[in-house]
């Protein structure tokens, strides 16, 4: 039984400030069982958090992999997997969304990004797709793409705002270390 039993695991999400979030993720060579295992773990971890998008580097795996689910409350889950994702083009028009990030807990700020983009990626089965996205999908995709380059949404904010947030995050981390779990 054991060998064929699909195991998913909720993993720890790395939070800022942490040097591992600053690294550039590497392209995936092959979409195989091991990679699908990672994608399953990513999805499970994202649902548990809960969040709507997660990049592999947030679990300490610097690979170009993103998972996402933008289903609204009450809708069936719509898990999406993006391997070696690319942004082919973006619109000049910008859209502003209040963004948050599982690696920057409890902070939300408006970020302006291109409102639409054309993307290319491999799916869960390694098949190539090209697609146009807009709205929350476009914003979330660009947010996750940033993670693959070691960039967080707070890097789009003013230096003052960012350093205030990082100070608070560092303080929260120290507090957590003091209190036994
Ligand atoms: Zn994020």
């Amino acid at each position: 039984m054991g060998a064929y039993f699909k195991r998913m695991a909720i993993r720890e999400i790395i939070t800022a400030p942490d040097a591992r979030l600053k690294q550039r993720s590497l392209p995936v060579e092959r979409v195989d069982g091991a990679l699908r295992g990672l994608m399953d773990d990513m999805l499970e971890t994202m649902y548990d958090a809960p969040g709507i998008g997660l990049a592999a580097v947030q679990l300490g795996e610097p690979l170009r992999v993103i998972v996402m689910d933008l289903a609204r409350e009450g809708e069936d889950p719509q898990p999406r997997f993006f391997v070696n994702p690319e942004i082919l083009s973006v619109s000049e028009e910008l859209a502003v969304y209040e963004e948050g990030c599982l690696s920057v807990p409890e902070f939300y700020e408006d970020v302006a990004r291109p409102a639409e983009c054309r993307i290319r990626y491999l799916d869960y089965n390694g098949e190539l797709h090209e697609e146009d996205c807009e709205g929350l999908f476009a914003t979330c995709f660009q947010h996750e793409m940033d993670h693959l380059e070691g960039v967080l949404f707070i890097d789009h904010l003013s230096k003052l705002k960012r350093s205030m947030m990082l100070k608070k995050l560092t303080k929260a981390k120290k507090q957590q270390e003091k209190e036994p779990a």
Side-chain angles (χ1 to χ4, degrees), residues 34 43 48 52 68 72 79 82 95 100 119-120 130 153 179:
L43 196 71
D48 178 68
I52 58 171
M68 209 180 282
R72 288 170 214 270
F82 307 93
I119 62 172
R120 181 160 61 198
E130 257 187 52
F153 84 94
E179 292 164 13

Side-chain angles (χ1 to χ4, degrees), residues 53-55 58 100-104 143-144 147 151-153:
L54 189 75
Q58 293 177 274
C101 179
L102 295 176
S103 292
V104 189
H143 173 118
E144 301 307 331
H147 276 299
V151 173
L152 298 173
F153 84 94

Side-chain angles (χ1 to χ4, degrees), residues 8 12 30-31 49-50 58 63 69 71 75 83-84 110-111 118 122 142 144 155 164:
M8 286 192 255
E12 194 193 335
R30 223 153 40 99
V31 181
Q58 293 177 274
L63 289 171
D69 191 331
E75 284 180 345
V83 178
N84 294 342
D110 283 349
V111 178
R118 184 159 184 83
L122 302 173
Q142 292 172 74
E144 301 307 331
D155 295 322
M164 267 169 51

Side-chain angles (χ1 to χ4, degrees), residues 7 11-12 45 51 54 56 74 78 81-82 100 106 126 134 146 149 161 171 175-176:
R7 289 174 64 183
R11 301 218 217 157
E12 194 193 335
T45 303
L54 189 75
Q78 293 161 21
F81 304 90
F82 307 93
E106 288 170 51
E134 57 174 20
D146 272 356
E149 303 302 324
K161 219 171 225 178
K171 210 173 153 188
Q175 207 74 41
Q176 258 178 0

Side-chain angles (χ1 to χ4, degrees), residues 19-105:
R20 287 171 292 175
L21 292 170
K22 299 242 173 213
Q23 59 192 323
R24 188 165 188 270
S25 294
L26 298 171
V28 169
E29 283 179 22
R30 223 153 40 99
V31 181
D32 55 12
L35 190 79
R36 276 188 279 275
L38 171 63
M39 290 196 276
D40 292 340
D41 283 358
M42 287 170 65
L43 196 71
E44 197 70 1
T45 303
M46 183 188 80
Y47 283 147
D48 178 68
I52 58 171
L54 189 75
V57 70
Q58 293 177 274
L59 300 186
E61 305 268 5
L63 289 171
R64 302 186 84 80
V65 181
I66 292 167
V67 299
M68 209 180 282
D69 191 331
L70 303 178
R72 288 170 214 270
E73 234 182 290
E75 284 180 345
D76 285 336
Q78 293 161 21
R80 312 248 351 228
F81 304 90
F82 307 93
V83 178
N84 294 342
E86 294 171 78
I87 294 174
L88 302 176
S89 61
V90 296
S91 64
E92 268 179 49
E93 189 200 337
L94 301 179
V96 176
Y97 273 90
E98 189 181 61
E99 295 190 21
C101 179
L102 295 176
S103 292
V104 189

